[in-house]
Amino acid sequence: MNEQITISALYDLNETIAADIFKDCTYPWEVLAKIGDFIKELGKTLPEDEYEQRAEDVWVAKSATVYPTAYINGPCIIGKEAEVRHCAFIRGKAIVGEGAVVGNSTELKNVILFNKVQVPHYNYVGDSILGYKAHMGAGSITSNVKSDKKLITIKAPDMPIDTGIKKIGAFLGDGVEVGCGSVLNPGTIVGKNSNIYPLSSVRGFVPAGSIYKNKTEIVEKNQ
């Protein structure tokens, strides 16, 4: 098993309303196909004094701030104290965690954003999971389909893993910082508390506690 890329190595499940979706799964991409149905079932159980159903399969916390120009398609849950800003485009199958920020012209599709995630400026996040307090700088995106349209292989640290899936974005562990203008190529995994330099093209696996400067220079923090 590639321990460094397991769900338990990447995420604190206490920091998401979606903790139950990860049960019986080892790797984060195993969750992607379940997000839509999970939201529909979870939404029905949310307390009516804290959440309101604004459209079919769309639940928004009463303490959340959603700008009138934002577009939200179900199934979707917007958590407590979250902020969905001007012209955000949530295409569906999205869980936005408590205190998270979805910013101007940011697009979400089939994602789980843990609590306090920030995707605040011109981001595309698709078929991805972003851990607690992960932050994507302005213009950084997840690329979720290979240019040759082939199924995605995870370039794991121990051995490659064939997923059998065509669309996979990125999996960012808790506390990851992605620099402005970066592209996270399909199947990228970034371990907890790592930093990605601006304008990077990232592919494969970045270990926890690292600074990604380029594909040949990945250094440990504080070295």
Side-chain angles (χ1 to χ4, degrees):
M1 181 189 297
N2 284 274
E3 291 286 350
Q4 296 179 76
I5 62 169
T6 59
I7 291 165
S8 59
L10 293 168
Y11 305 116
D12 178 357
L13 297 184
N14 293 313
E15 293 294 345
T16 177
I17 198 173
D20 286 349
I21 198 175
F22 295 93
K23 289 181 178 178
D24 302 321
C25 294
T26 301
Y27 298 113
W29 58 86
E30 297 170 5
V31 171
L32 295 177
K34 304 179 180 182
I35 294 175
D37 289 338
F38 179 82
I39 292 172
K40 292 178 182 179
E41 293 305 312
L42 178 59
K44 298 173 185 177
T45 70
L46 295 174
E48 293 184 0
D49 61 329
E50 296 178 347
Y51 287 83
E52 60 180 350
Q53 186 170 359
R54 294 196 179 182
E56 184 177 3
D57 298 327
V58 174
W59 293 270
V60 178
K62 294 180 180 180
S63 61
T65 300
V66 178
Y67 284 49
T69 52
Y71 177 87
I72 303 175
N73 189 45
C76 179
I77 294 173
I78 308 296
K80 301 174 185 177
E81 306 293 337
E83 185 175 358
V84 182
R85 293 176 177 167
H86 174 68
C87 288
F89 179 31
I90 300 179
R91 287 169 52 191
K93 299 182 181 179
I95 296 175
V96 177
E98 296 182 10
V101 176
V102 181
N104 175 33
S105 301
T106 291
E107 180 179 349
L108 303 181
K109 190 270 294 186
N110 200 43
V111 298
I112 298 174
L113 307 185
F114 276 54
N115 299 340
K116 302 290 187 179
V117 165
Q118 293 191 341
V119 282
H121 309 288
Y122 305 102
N123 306 109
Y124 172 69
V125 188
D127 301 289
S128 300
I129 301 173
L130 277 55
Y132 176 60
K133 285 190 174 179
H135 172 261
M136 294 183 67
S140 59
I141 66 169
T142 64
S143 174
N144 61 339
V145 180
K146 295 174 65 175
S147 58
D148 60 11
K149 307 299 189 291
K150 292 183 179 179
L151 302 180
I152 293 170
T153 297
I154 303 293
K155 294 177 173 60
D158 296 336
M159 58 182 295
I161 302 175
D162 293 325
T163 67
I165 303 172
K166 182 179 178 181
K167 292 186 178 183
I168 298 178
F171 305 104
L172 305 185
D174 297 341
V176 167
E177 290 279 345
V178 178
C180 296
S182 295
V183 176
L184 307 176
N185 286 280
T188 293
I189 301 176
V190 183
K192 286 184 176 181
N193 300 313
S194 288
N195 290 58
I196 306 298
Y197 264 28
L199 300 177
S200 296
S201 177
V202 187
R203 188 182 306 275
F205 170 67
V206 178
S210 298
I211 300 174
Y212 181 99
K213 299 182 177 181
N214 56 60
K215 65 181 180 180
T216 61
E217 192 175 5
I218 303 173
V219 300
E220 291 184 19
K221 285 187 174 181
N222 300 321
Q223 92 171 15

